[in-house]
Short mmCIF file of all heavy atoms in Angstrom, two decimals:
data_model
loop_
_atom_site.label_atom_id
_atom_site.label_comp_id
_atom_site.label_asym_id
_atom_site.label_seq_id
_atom_site.Cartn_x
_atom_site.Cartn_y
_atom_site.Cartn_z
N GLU A 1 3.07 -51.68 12.33
CA GLU A 1 3.58 -50.32 12.20
C GLU A 1 3.57 -49.60 13.54
O GLU A 1 4.51 -48.89 13.89
CB GLU A 1 2.74 -49.55 11.18
CG GLU A 1 2.95 -49.98 9.73
CD GLU A 1 4.38 -49.77 9.27
OE1 GLU A 1 4.96 -48.71 9.60
OE2 GLU A 1 4.93 -50.65 8.58
N LEU A 2 2.49 -49.78 14.29
CA LEU A 2 2.39 -49.13 15.60
C LEU A 2 3.43 -49.67 16.57
O LEU A 2 4.02 -48.90 17.35
CB LEU A 2 0.98 -49.34 16.18
CG LEU A 2 -0.16 -48.61 15.44
CD1 LEU A 2 -1.51 -49.03 16.00
CD2 LEU A 2 0.00 -47.09 15.56
N GLU A 3 3.66 -50.97 16.54
CA GLU A 3 4.69 -51.57 17.42
C GLU A 3 6.07 -51.09 17.03
O GLU A 3 6.93 -50.86 17.89
CB GLU A 3 4.61 -53.09 17.33
CG GLU A 3 3.40 -53.68 18.03
CD GLU A 3 3.22 -55.17 17.75
OE1 GLU A 3 3.89 -55.70 16.84
OE2 GLU A 3 2.42 -55.80 18.45
N LYS A 4 6.28 -50.93 15.74
CA LYS A 4 7.58 -50.47 15.25
C LYS A 4 7.89 -49.07 15.75
O LYS A 4 9.04 -48.74 16.08
CB LYS A 4 7.59 -50.51 13.72
CG LYS A 4 8.92 -50.14 13.08
CD LYS A 4 8.82 -50.24 11.57
CE LYS A 4 10.14 -49.85 10.92
NZ LYS A 4 10.06 -49.93 9.43
N ASP A 5 6.85 -48.24 15.82
CA ASP A 5 7.02 -46.85 16.25
C ASP A 5 6.72 -46.67 17.73
O ASP A 5 6.66 -45.53 18.22
CB ASP A 5 6.10 -45.94 15.44
CG ASP A 5 6.43 -45.96 13.95
OD1 ASP A 5 7.61 -46.23 13.63
OD2 ASP A 5 5.52 -45.74 13.13
N ASN A 6 6.47 -47.78 18.45
CA ASN A 6 6.16 -47.74 19.88
C ASN A 6 4.95 -46.85 20.19
O ASN A 6 4.96 -46.08 21.15
CB ASN A 6 7.37 -47.26 20.68
CG ASN A 6 8.51 -48.27 20.66
OD1 ASN A 6 8.28 -49.47 20.74
ND2 ASN A 6 9.73 -47.76 20.52
N LYS A 7 3.92 -46.97 19.36
CA LYS A 7 2.71 -46.17 19.55
C LYS A 7 1.62 -47.01 20.22
O LYS A 7 1.72 -48.23 20.30
CB LYS A 7 2.22 -45.64 18.21
CG LYS A 7 3.16 -44.62 17.58
CD LYS A 7 2.58 -44.07 16.27
CE LYS A 7 3.50 -43.03 15.66
NZ LYS A 7 2.97 -42.51 14.37
N SER A 8 0.59 -46.33 20.70
CA SER A 8 -0.49 -47.00 21.42
C SER A 8 -1.26 -47.96 20.51
O SER A 8 -1.53 -47.66 19.34
CB SER A 8 -1.46 -45.97 22.00
OG SER A 8 -2.58 -46.61 22.58
N LEU A 9 -1.66 -49.11 21.10
CA LEU A 9 -2.40 -50.12 20.36
C LEU A 9 -3.86 -50.19 20.79
O LEU A 9 -4.57 -51.14 20.42
CB LEU A 9 -1.76 -51.50 20.56
CG LEU A 9 -0.34 -51.68 20.02
CD1 LEU A 9 0.24 -52.99 20.51
CD2 LEU A 9 -0.33 -51.64 18.50
N VAL A 10 -4.32 -49.19 21.53
CA VAL A 10 -5.68 -49.22 22.09
C VAL A 10 -6.72 -49.33 21.00
O VAL A 10 -7.62 -50.19 21.04
CB VAL A 10 -5.94 -47.97 22.96
CG1 VAL A 10 -7.40 -47.95 23.40
CG2 VAL A 10 -5.03 -47.97 24.17
N ASP A 11 -6.63 -48.48 20.00
CA ASP A 11 -7.64 -48.46 18.93
C ASP A 11 -7.62 -49.74 18.10
O ASP A 11 -8.67 -50.29 17.74
CB ASP A 11 -7.42 -47.24 18.02
CG ASP A 11 -7.73 -45.94 18.72
OD1 ASP A 11 -8.51 -45.97 19.69
OD2 ASP A 11 -7.19 -44.90 18.32
N VAL A 12 -6.42 -50.21 17.79
CA VAL A 12 -6.31 -51.40 16.95
C VAL A 12 -6.74 -52.65 17.72
O VAL A 12 -7.26 -53.61 17.15
CB VAL A 12 -4.87 -51.56 16.40
CG1 VAL A 12 -3.92 -52.09 17.45
CG2 VAL A 12 -4.86 -52.45 15.17
N ARG A 13 -6.56 -52.63 19.04
CA ARG A 13 -7.06 -53.74 19.87
C ARG A 13 -8.58 -53.79 19.84
O ARG A 13 -9.17 -54.88 19.83
CB ARG A 13 -6.57 -53.59 21.31
CG ARG A 13 -5.11 -53.96 21.53
CD ARG A 13 -4.70 -53.78 22.98
NE ARG A 13 -3.30 -54.02 23.18
CZ ARG A 13 -2.74 -55.22 23.39
NH1 ARG A 13 -3.52 -56.29 23.41
NH2 ARG A 13 -1.45 -55.34 23.58
N LYS A 14 -9.21 -52.64 19.81
CA LYS A 14 -10.67 -52.59 19.73
C LYS A 14 -11.15 -53.16 18.39
O LYS A 14 -12.16 -53.88 18.33
CB LYS A 14 -11.15 -51.15 19.90
CG LYS A 14 -10.98 -50.61 21.32
CD LYS A 14 -11.48 -49.17 21.41
CE LYS A 14 -11.31 -48.63 22.83
NZ LYS A 14 -11.77 -47.21 22.93
N LEU A 15 -10.43 -52.81 17.33
CA LEU A 15 -10.77 -53.36 16.02
C LEU A 15 -10.62 -54.87 15.99
O LEU A 15 -11.42 -55.59 15.39
CB LEU A 15 -9.88 -52.72 14.94
CG LEU A 15 -10.10 -51.24 14.63
CD1 LEU A 15 -9.06 -50.75 13.63
CD2 LEU A 15 -11.50 -51.02 14.07
N TYR A 16 -9.58 -55.34 16.66
CA TYR A 16 -9.32 -56.79 16.73
C TYR A 16 -10.46 -57.50 17.47
O TYR A 16 -10.96 -58.53 17.01
CB TYR A 16 -7.99 -57.02 17.43
CG TYR A 16 -7.63 -58.47 17.63
CD1 TYR A 16 -7.40 -59.30 16.54
CD2 TYR A 16 -7.48 -58.99 18.91
CE1 TYR A 16 -7.06 -60.64 16.73
CE2 TYR A 16 -7.12 -60.32 19.11
CZ TYR A 16 -6.91 -61.14 18.01
OH TYR A 16 -6.56 -62.45 18.20
N SER A 17 -10.86 -56.94 18.61
CA SER A 17 -11.95 -57.53 19.39
C SER A 17 -13.25 -57.54 18.60
O SER A 17 -14.00 -58.51 18.62
CB SER A 17 -12.14 -56.76 20.70
OG SER A 17 -10.99 -56.84 21.51
N LYS A 18 -13.49 -56.46 17.88
CA LYS A 18 -14.70 -56.37 17.06
C LYS A 18 -14.67 -57.41 15.94
O LYS A 18 -15.70 -58.03 15.63
CB LYS A 18 -14.81 -54.96 16.46
CG LYS A 18 -16.12 -54.69 15.74
CD LYS A 18 -16.19 -53.25 15.27
CE LYS A 18 -17.51 -52.98 14.54
NZ LYS A 18 -17.60 -51.58 14.06
N ALA A 19 -13.49 -57.63 15.35
CA ALA A 19 -13.36 -58.63 14.28
C ALA A 19 -13.60 -60.04 14.82
O ALA A 19 -14.21 -60.88 14.16
CB ALA A 19 -11.98 -58.53 13.64
N LEU A 20 -13.12 -60.29 16.04
CA LEU A 20 -13.31 -61.60 16.64
C LEU A 20 -14.79 -61.88 16.93
O LEU A 20 -15.26 -63.01 16.77
CB LEU A 20 -12.52 -61.71 17.95
CG LEU A 20 -10.99 -61.72 17.86
CD1 LEU A 20 -10.38 -61.89 19.24
CD2 LEU A 20 -10.51 -62.84 16.93
N GLU A 21 -15.50 -60.86 17.34
CA GLU A 21 -16.90 -61.02 17.72
C GLU A 21 -17.84 -61.06 16.51
O GLU A 21 -19.00 -61.44 16.64
CB GLU A 21 -17.33 -59.88 18.65
CG GLU A 21 -16.61 -59.89 19.99
CD GLU A 21 -16.88 -58.63 20.80
OE1 GLU A 21 -17.58 -57.73 20.26
OE2 GLU A 21 -16.38 -58.52 21.94
N SER A 22 -17.34 -60.69 15.35
CA SER A 22 -18.21 -60.56 14.18
C SER A 22 -18.67 -61.90 13.62
O SER A 22 -19.71 -61.98 12.96
CB SER A 22 -17.51 -59.76 13.08
OG SER A 22 -16.34 -60.44 12.63
N ILE A 23 -17.89 -62.96 13.86
CA ILE A 23 -18.26 -64.30 13.36
C ILE A 23 -17.95 -65.34 14.42
O ILE A 23 -17.38 -65.04 15.47
CB ILE A 23 -17.51 -64.67 12.05
CG1 ILE A 23 -16.00 -64.69 12.29
CG2 ILE A 23 -17.86 -63.72 10.93
CD1 ILE A 23 -15.23 -65.31 11.14
N GLU A 24 -18.33 -66.58 14.14
CA GLU A 24 -18.02 -67.70 15.03
C GLU A 24 -16.52 -67.87 15.16
O GLU A 24 -15.75 -67.45 14.29
CB GLU A 24 -18.63 -69.00 14.48
CG GLU A 24 -18.03 -69.42 13.13
CD GLU A 24 -18.64 -70.68 12.57
OE1 GLU A 24 -18.36 -71.76 13.12
OE2 GLU A 24 -19.41 -70.58 11.59
N ASN A 25 -16.11 -68.49 16.24
CA ASN A 25 -14.67 -68.72 16.44
C ASN A 25 -14.20 -69.91 15.62
O ASN A 25 -14.98 -70.80 15.29
CB ASN A 25 -14.40 -68.97 17.93
CG ASN A 25 -12.93 -68.82 18.28
OD1 ASN A 25 -12.15 -68.27 17.50
ND2 ASN A 25 -12.54 -69.30 19.43
N HIS A 26 -12.94 -69.92 15.29
CA HIS A 26 -12.38 -71.06 14.58
C HIS A 26 -12.23 -72.25 15.53
O HIS A 26 -12.23 -72.10 16.75
CB HIS A 26 -11.01 -70.70 13.98
CG HIS A 26 -10.04 -70.14 14.97
ND1 HIS A 26 -9.88 -68.78 15.18
CD2 HIS A 26 -9.20 -70.74 15.84
CE1 HIS A 26 -8.98 -68.57 16.11
NE2 HIS A 26 -8.55 -69.75 16.54
N GLU A 27 -12.08 -73.44 14.96
CA GLU A 27 -11.90 -74.65 15.76
C GLU A 27 -10.44 -74.79 16.18
O GLU A 27 -9.54 -74.23 15.55
CB GLU A 27 -12.32 -75.88 14.95
CG GLU A 27 -13.77 -75.89 14.51
CD GLU A 27 -14.74 -76.06 15.66
OE1 GLU A 27 -14.32 -76.56 16.73
OE2 GLU A 27 -15.91 -75.68 15.51
N LEU A 28 -10.23 -75.55 17.25
CA LEU A 28 -8.86 -75.77 17.73
C LEU A 28 -8.00 -76.42 16.67
O LEU A 28 -6.82 -76.07 16.50
CB LEU A 28 -8.89 -76.65 18.99
CG LEU A 28 -7.53 -77.04 19.58
CD1 LEU A 28 -6.74 -75.80 19.98
CD2 LEU A 28 -7.72 -77.97 20.78
N ILE A 29 -8.58 -77.35 15.90
CA ILE A 29 -7.80 -78.04 14.87
C ILE A 29 -7.35 -77.07 13.78
O ILE A 29 -6.32 -77.27 13.15
CB ILE A 29 -8.62 -79.21 14.26
CG1 ILE A 29 -7.73 -80.08 13.36
CG2 ILE A 29 -9.82 -78.68 13.47
CD1 ILE A 29 -6.59 -80.75 14.09
N ASP A 30 -8.11 -75.99 13.57
CA ASP A 30 -7.71 -74.98 12.57
C ASP A 30 -6.43 -74.28 13.01
O ASP A 30 -5.52 -74.03 12.21
CB ASP A 30 -8.82 -73.95 12.38
CG ASP A 30 -10.09 -74.57 11.82
OD1 ASP A 30 -9.98 -75.49 11.01
OD2 ASP A 30 -11.18 -74.13 12.21
N ASP A 31 -6.35 -73.97 14.31
CA ASP A 31 -5.16 -73.33 14.86
C ASP A 31 -3.96 -74.27 14.77
O ASP A 31 -2.86 -73.87 14.36
CB ASP A 31 -5.41 -72.93 16.31
CG ASP A 31 -4.17 -72.36 16.98
OD1 ASP A 31 -3.68 -71.31 16.54
OD2 ASP A 31 -3.67 -72.99 17.95
N ILE A 32 -4.18 -75.54 15.15
CA ILE A 32 -3.10 -76.53 15.09
C ILE A 32 -2.63 -76.72 13.65
O ILE A 32 -1.42 -76.74 13.37
CB ILE A 32 -3.57 -77.87 15.69
CG1 ILE A 32 -3.83 -77.70 17.20
CG2 ILE A 32 -2.52 -78.96 15.45
CD1 ILE A 32 -4.44 -78.93 17.85
N TRP A 33 -3.59 -76.89 12.75
CA TRP A 33 -3.26 -77.11 11.32
C TRP A 33 -2.43 -75.94 10.77
O TRP A 33 -1.43 -76.14 10.07
CB TRP A 33 -4.56 -77.27 10.53
CG TRP A 33 -4.40 -77.81 9.14
CD1 TRP A 33 -3.49 -77.41 8.21
CD2 TRP A 33 -5.17 -78.84 8.53
NE1 TRP A 33 -3.66 -78.11 7.04
CE2 TRP A 33 -4.68 -79.00 7.20
CE3 TRP A 33 -6.24 -79.62 8.94
CZ2 TRP A 33 -5.22 -79.92 6.31
CZ3 TRP A 33 -6.79 -80.54 8.05
CH2 TRP A 33 -6.28 -80.69 6.76
N ALA A 34 -2.86 -74.72 11.09
CA ALA A 34 -2.16 -73.53 10.59
C ALA A 34 -0.74 -73.46 11.12
O ALA A 34 0.20 -73.13 10.38
CB ALA A 34 -2.94 -72.28 10.99
N ARG A 35 -0.56 -73.79 12.40
CA ARG A 35 0.79 -73.72 12.98
C ARG A 35 1.69 -74.84 12.48
O ARG A 35 2.89 -74.65 12.32
CB ARG A 35 0.69 -73.76 14.51
CG ARG A 35 0.17 -72.43 15.08
CD ARG A 35 0.30 -72.34 16.58
NE ARG A 35 -0.65 -73.21 17.26
CZ ARG A 35 -0.31 -74.23 18.04
NH1 ARG A 35 0.96 -74.53 18.23
NH2 ARG A 35 -1.23 -74.96 18.63
#
């Protein structure tokens, strides 16, 4: 929605970083499998 309206992504980027840090990272094979 923010990209559609050309609005700032600063706050949502912080939420994204926080979500990434909240648990262990996924494995490389998970990324490959999903793609």
Side-chain angles (χ1 to χ4, degrees):
E1 289 299 318
L2 291 173
E3 287 171 347
K4 184 179 179 181
D5 298 333
N6 293 320
K7 293 183 179 179
S8 174
L9 296 170
V10 174
D11 291 336
V12 77
R13 284 180 185 274
K14 290 180 180 179
L15 291 175
Y16 178 64
S17 297
K18 188 176 180 180
L20 292 183
E21 294 171 357
S22 63
I23 61 168
E24 64 181 288
N25 197 15
H26 54 266
E27 299 291 339
L28 177 60
I29 190 62
D30 297 324
D31 175 64
I32 294 174
W33 193 314
R35 287 190 288 117

